[in-house]
Amino acid sequence: MAEKLRITLVKSPIGAIPKHRATVKALGLRKLHKTVEMPDNASVRGMIQAVKHLVKVEEV
């Protein structure tokens, strides 16, 4: 298991349901094609699972 995850917003959350928009915001993603690094833990993995159609994830 990786120590960190690199998460990139690849699709706009404008048309997504409000819960998914809030999850993207909680991940720290504000603009398209911006990337954040988050620790690899169960809570972050769960957030990614909810919005997997909007983000791209790489293990670092």
Side-chain angles (χ1 to χ4, degrees), residues 17-30:
I17 62 174
K19 188 174 183 180
H20 290 178
R21 282 198 303 263
T23 302
V24 168
K25 189 174 180 182
L27 283 169
L29 297 167
R30 302 287 188 258

Side-chain angles (χ1 to χ4, degrees), residues 15-60:
I17 62 174
K19 188 174 183 180
H20 290 178
R21 282 198 303 263
T23 302
V24 168
K25 189 174 180 182
L27 283 169
L29 297 167
R30 302 287 188 258
K31 296 182 178 185
L32 277 180
H33 307 294
K34 295 300 177 184
T35 302
V36 295
E37 285 192 4
M38 301 287 283
D40 188 3
N41 57 38
S43 62
V44 173
R45 289 268 182 180
M47 292 165 64
I48 291 169
Q49 185 66 27
V51 295
K52 64 184 173 193
H53 57 289
L54 301 175
V55 297
K56 180 179 79 169
V57 180
E58 302 169 8
E59 293 184 348
V60 178

